[in-house]
């Protein structure tokens, strides 16, 4: 078992087989730096719980393919990314820090899927982005690439 | 600041995680004061470093990615760094003029802006109508040039060590195929699976020993009006040319090291038979140890004999192969071609004749005794 500590001082025990899906921790274990608790100063406990849930489910990727549990795993992944933007970005940051390739791909793809075909207004609202461009600057951008702002597929709804 | 930018209810109600975000985020938070001074809102995506935002943008289509330029000042240039290029208009109808202009504008405006150092994924799926009256080729060329430039610039090492290359269903210009050939000095095996745009293939690297060239049936890969295709590959030992070359004239130049040659392509003959094509092809493969020929050869040889009854034997080169495979339908008519081919093959140790079924032709079945008779004569002669 490997002990991980979140930045709000909560400790979590994770099986080594699960935690080595993180390249960063795998390297630490290989270098003998994981004898006691591994502090994760960039990850809060709420996010770490999510990440550990993912790692435990994906513990034996190879096995899943053999036993026909692929669909099960796919369903888990779909459910897993069903979270708010804030939480999603926290998990992306954590996956990036811990270097968990598959989790990173899953979450970035989910973010991209949510942004697909969305109008500028909708994206701003979803991500709480403040428009600090002047009207002229904005118009200039649109004039540069008008094709990106036109089309029947553009979706102005927020969800 | 517009109303939709402010949404007080969306601020994290989890005080703990919010304060942590503030402490640990690598970038400065953008705080937005709401008009009613309720709670500070966090621009969530601003906590993500640029490289992660670019990673997400790279998963979007080019159009979606470029729309984010107008989100805010920070976003204005992020999409210039995307490293995947996905454009797919297959869902749109071909004749839709806005789609056409969109694509042209996309090409002219986006390409000069892209500043990523290497392309990870490149997919341009563009359905268009020949009747649109617009020439897409220069635009598509621009994209290909971009892709080739970015890939070859950054993967020089990969290309230098590249041993096997398969190209399928592509439009490749003469200069691009030349570039590919000269960029791959270690290339040992090249497989072309349908292409058009070039008429000469020069494989001059001594390492390149295997060439597999398949030309699919149908409209794809038309040779247009100048119907010739030339392969020059002096070091190739294994050559396979198959598929349907329509009326293109295939010329093989300068092969001297053949071990295995399989010419199982088909062609249509619209014009008068050109004696030299068959002859030249057979001359090039005359030294091959293993030889496989298609119906087309048998038919051509038969046609030539039918035209000039005296032409017998002389016009075919002496074939040195030890293993001869003929994949051809045999009719009364083509029997003479087969007979002639066998006469010019004095040394085979292994001979195989496969009936290649062509609808509307008489099959080998009824001809078998005649084939055997021809073989017997030929056997007597070679002994």
């Amino acid at each position: 078992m490997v002990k991980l500590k979140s930045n709000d001082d909560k400790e979590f025990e994770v099986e080594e087989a699960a935690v080595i899906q993180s390249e960063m921790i795998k390297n630490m274990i290989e270098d003998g730096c994981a004898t006691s608790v591994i502090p994760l100063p960039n990850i809060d406990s709420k996010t770490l719980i999510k990440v550990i849930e993912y790692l435990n489910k994906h513990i034996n990727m190879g096995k899943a393919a053999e036993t026909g549990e692929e669909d099960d795993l796919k369903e888990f992944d779909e459910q897993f990314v069903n979270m708010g933007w804030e939480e999603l970005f926290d998990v992306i940051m954590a996956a990036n820090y811990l270097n968990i390739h598959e989790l990173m791909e899953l979450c970035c793809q989910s973010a991209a899927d949510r942004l697909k075909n969305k109008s500028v207004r909708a994206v701003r609202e979803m991500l709480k982005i403040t428009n600090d461009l002047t009207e002229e600057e904005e118009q200039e951008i649109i004039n540069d690439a008008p094709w990106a702002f036109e089309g029947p597929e553009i979706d102005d709804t927020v969800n | 600041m517009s109303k939709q930018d402010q949404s007080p209810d969306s601020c994290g109600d989890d005080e703990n995680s919010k304060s942590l975000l503030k402490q640990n985020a690598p970038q400065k938070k953008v705080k937005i004061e709401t008009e009613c001074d309720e709670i500070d809102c966090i621009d969530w995506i601003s906590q993500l470093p640029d490289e992660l935002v670019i990673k997400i943008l790279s998963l979007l289509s080019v159009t979606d990615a470029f729309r984010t330029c107008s989100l805010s000042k920070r976003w204005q240039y992020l999409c210039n760094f995307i490293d995947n290029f996905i454009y797919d208009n297959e869902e749109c109808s071909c004749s839709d003029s806005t789609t056409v202009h969109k694509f042209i504008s996309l090409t002219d405006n986006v390409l000069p802006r892209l500043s990523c150092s290497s392309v990870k994924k490149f997919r341009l799926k563009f359905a268009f109508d020949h009747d649109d009256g617009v020439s897409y080729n220069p635009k598509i060329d621009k994209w290909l040039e971009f892709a080739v430039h970015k890939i070859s610039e950054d993967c020089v090492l990969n290309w230098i060590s590249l041993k096997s290359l398969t190209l399928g269903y592509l439009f490749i210009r003469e200069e691009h195929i030349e570039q590919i050939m000269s960029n791959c000095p270690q290339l040992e095996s090249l497989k072309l699976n349908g292409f058009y745009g070039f008429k000469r293939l020069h494989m001059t690297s001594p390492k390149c020993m295997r060439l597999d060239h398949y030309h699919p049936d149908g409209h794809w890969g038309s040779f247009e009006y100048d119907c010739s295709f030339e392969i020059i590959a002096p070091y190739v030992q294994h050559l396979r040319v198959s598929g349907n070359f329509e009326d293109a004239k295939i010329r093989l130049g300068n092969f001297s090291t053949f071990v295995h040659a399989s010419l199982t392509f088909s062609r249509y003959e619209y014009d008068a038979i050109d004696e030299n094509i068959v002859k030249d092809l057979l001359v090039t493969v005359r030294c091959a140890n293993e030889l496989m020929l298609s119906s087309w050869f048998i038919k051509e040889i038969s046609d030539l004999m039918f035209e000039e009854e005296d032409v017998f034997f002389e016009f075919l080169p002496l074939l040195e192969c030890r293993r001869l495979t003929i994949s051809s339908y045999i009719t009364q008519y083509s029997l003479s071609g087969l007979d002639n081919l066998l006469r010019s093959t004095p040394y085979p140790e292994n001979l195989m004749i496969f009936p290649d079924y062509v609808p509307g032709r008489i099959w080998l079945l009824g001809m078998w005794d005649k084939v055997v008779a021809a073989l017997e004569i030929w056997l007597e002669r070679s002994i």
Side-chain angles (χ1 to χ4, degrees):
Chain A
M1 294 298 254
V2 177
K3 278 185 190 169
L4 306 175
K5 192 165 86 176
S6 65
N7 63 5
D8 45 350
D9 283 333
K10 290 187 180 140
E11 282 188 18
F12 299 89
E13 279 202 336
V14 195
E15 269 185 69
E16 191 175 319
V19 87
I20 55 164
Q21 291 171 80
S22 153
E23 282 294 320
M24 182 200 119
I25 295 176
K26 191 180 164 196
N27 290 340
M28 284 179 84
I29 293 172
E30 280 169 4
D31 297 343
C33 310
T35 43
S36 56
V37 184
I38 301 175
L40 303 170
N42 288 340
I43 305 172
D44 61 46
S45 58
K46 193 174 147 224
T47 310
L48 192 54
I49 289 169
K50 282 297 272 185
V51 173
I52 292 171
E53 183 194 346
Y54 176 89
L55 292 177
N56 282 335
K57 189 73 190 179
H58 281 251
I59 197 162
N60 285 320
M61 287 286 282
K63 255 190 200 165
E66 281 168 27
T67 53
E69 284 170 27
E70 269 174 327
D71 290 344
D72 188 33
L73 209 56
K74 221 174 161 183
E75 206 184 308
F76 168 82
D77 283 353
E78 271 170 33
Q79 285 296 316
F80 183 83
V81 290
N82 189 11
M83 51 175 113
W85 280 104
E86 190 181 7
E87 210 180 337
L88 183 71
F89 289 145
D90 285 342
V91 176
I92 290 178
M93 295 281 285
N96 186 50
Y97 174 68
L98 292 167
N99 200 354
I100 309 170
H101 182 72
E102 303 277 329
L103 179 59
M104 189 70 192
E105 297 289 304
L106 175 70
C107 293
C108 286
Q109 189 59 57
S110 170
D113 290 345
R114 295 171 196 202
L115 296 175
K116 195 181 172 202
N117 288 343
K118 289 290 177 188
S119 71
V120 174
R121 193 196 68 80
V123 176
R124 274 194 202 129
E125 194 171 330
M126 285 194 295
L127 301 179
K128 314 285 167 232
I129 293 170
T130 319
N131 180 14
D132 51 1
L133 295 161
T134 64
E135 229 168 80
E136 292 77 39
E137 283 172 326
E138 195 178 340
Q139 197 52 51
E140 206 176 303
I141 294 167
I142 296 172
N143 292 345
D144 262 1
W147 46 270
F149 301 87
E150 296 158 0
E153 72 281 0
I154 293 179
D155 172 10
D156 201 32
T157 59
V158 184
N159 46 43
Chain B
M1 192 185 297
S2 65
K3 283 258 183 189
Q4 55 258 41
D5 295 330
Q6 312 141 15
S7 204
D9 59 338
S10 51
C11 301
D13 49 8
D14 182 346
E15 269 310 311
N16 192 28
S17 69
K18 206 176 102 186
S19 64
L20 286 169
L21 275 172
K22 282 182 181 167
Q23 280 165 26
N24 298 302
Q27 292 201 349
K28 209 184 150 204
K29 291 286 165 302
V30 178
K31 286 185 191 172
I32 305 160
E33 283 185 15
T34 54
E35 277 170 17
C36 49
D37 285 334
E38 280 181 34
I39 322 163
D40 288 354
C41 260
I42 294 173
D43 171 355
W44 291 332
I45 205 159
S46 74
Q47 68 169 307
L48 288 189
D50 284 354
E51 76 239 39
L52 293 184
V53 176
I54 292 164
K55 196 175 161 71
I56 294 171
L57 291 182
S58 293
L59 295 169
L60 291 167
S61 71
V62 184
T63 322
D64 277 338
F66 268 77
R67 200 162 45 244
T68 64
C69 293
S70 70
L71 286 172
S72 73
K73 279 194 171 132
R74 182 196 178 198
W75 288 76
Q76 219 175 333
Y77 304 106
L78 289 179
C79 59
N80 293 355
F81 298 94
I82 55 172
D83 54 11
N84 283 347
F85 295 92
I86 306 161
Y87 181 82
D88 191 342
N89 85 335
E90 276 199 323
E91 288 164 23
C92 304
S93 75
C94 296
S95 49
D96 183 352
S97 66
T98 45
T99 316
V100 173
H101 291 296
K102 199 167 170 175
F103 179 72
I104 291 171
S105 165
L106 171 100
T107 312
D108 294 341
N109 293 297
V110 175
L111 285 183
R113 291 182 57 165
L114 297 173
S115 45
C116 75
S117 55
S118 70
V119 177
K120 277 192 190 148
K121 187 170 170 184
F122 183 83
R123 193 177 73 202
L124 199 60
K125 261 191 171 178
F126 184 52
F128 60 86
D129 206 328
H130 282 290
D131 302 330
D132 280 352
V134 181
S135 175
Y136 298 101
N137 285 352
K139 303 293 170 193
I140 294 169
D141 273 359
K142 272 191 179 179
W143 281 98
L144 284 176
E145 259 164 39
F146 165 80
V148 168
H149 177 69
K150 287 289 182 193
I151 292 166
S152 59
E153 186 180 67
D154 283 82
C155 308
V156 170
L157 283 173
N158 288 345
W159 286 79
I160 280 176
S161 54
L162 191 72
K163 290 192 170 172
S164 168
L165 176 67
T166 303
L167 298 169
Y169 295 87
L170 280 175
F171 174 86
I172 312 173
R173 285 216 180 281
E174 209 86 58
E175 60 265 32
H176 293 146
I177 192 79
E178 275 172 26
Q179 206 175 357
I180 291 170
M181 288 293 110
S182 58
N183 272 351
C184 306
Q186 297 291 325
L187 195 68
E188 289 172 7
S189 167
L190 175 69
K191 207 169 169 179
L192 291 169
N193 196 354
F195 69 88
Y196 71 114
F198 65 94
K199 297 190 176 80
R200 266 201 318 270
L201 179 65
H202 285 208
M203 298 170 71
T204 46
S205 156
K207 303 253 180 188
C208 204
M209 296 193 288
R210 197 173 278 271
L211 173 65
D212 193 335
H213 181 161
Y214 169 72
H215 209 75
D217 241 335
H219 197 61
W220 168 267
S222 141
F223 283 92
E224 290 163 9
Y225 305 106
D226 183 5
C227 299
S228 69
F229 183 69
E230 183 187 57
I231 305 173
I232 292 181
Y235 301 99
V236 164
Q237 297 185 356
H238 300 266
L239 171 78
R240 211 165 77 179
V241 185
S242 58
N244 184 353
F245 280 76
E246 297 182 3
D247 56 342
K249 294 186 173 77
I250 303 170
R251 288 183 203 283
L252 303 174
N254 212 4
F255 287 83
S256 49
T257 50
F258 272 137
V259 176
H260 178 113
S262 165
L263 304 174
T264 54
F265 55 85
S266 59
R267 290 185 64 224
Y268 307 131
E269 213 60 66
Y270 297 120
D271 307 326
I273 323 153
D274 185 347
E275 181 186 319
N276 291 327
I277 298 182
V278 195
K279 197 175 167 182
D280 289 350
L281 283 172
L282 289 174
V283 166
T284 8
V285 298
R286 71 184 185 283
C287 300
N289 200 16
E290 268 182 60
L291 187 60
M292 190 165 178
L293 299 173
S294 62
S295 307
W296 179 76
F297 282 91
I298 307 297
K299 184 186 160 290
E300 288 298 288
I301 298 166
S302 308
D303 284 352
L304 285 168
M305 292 177 63
F306 185 74
E307 271 191 2
E308 302 171 46
E309 276 180 33
D310 294 337
V311 182
F312 202 63
F313 206 47
E314 291 83 19
F315 83 101
L316 286 186
L318 202 65
L319 300 171
E320 293 175 17
C321 67
R322 304 284 159 159
R323 257 180 105 90
L324 177 66
T325 307
I326 296 165
S327 161
S328 171
Y329 52 85
I330 309 285
T331 60
Q332 181 77 46
Y333 179 73
S334 62
L335 195 63
S336 54
L338 177 72
D339 183 46
N340 206 338
L341 185 71
L342 290 176
R343 281 164 196 245
S344 43
T345 317
Y347 318 114
E349 289 161 9
N350 192 320
L351 173 72
M352 277 185 276
I353 302 176
F354 290 107
D356 172 16
Y357 179 69
V358 175
R361 304 267 183 178
I362 308 156
W363 228 29
L364 180 68
L365 209 58
M367 298 301 300
W368 187 238
D369 46 347
K370 291 192 171 146
V371 175
V372 173
L375 286 175
E376 274 171 0
I377 297 168
W378 167 72
L379 272 172
E380 269 171 33
R381 275 197 195 126
S382 36
I383 292 163

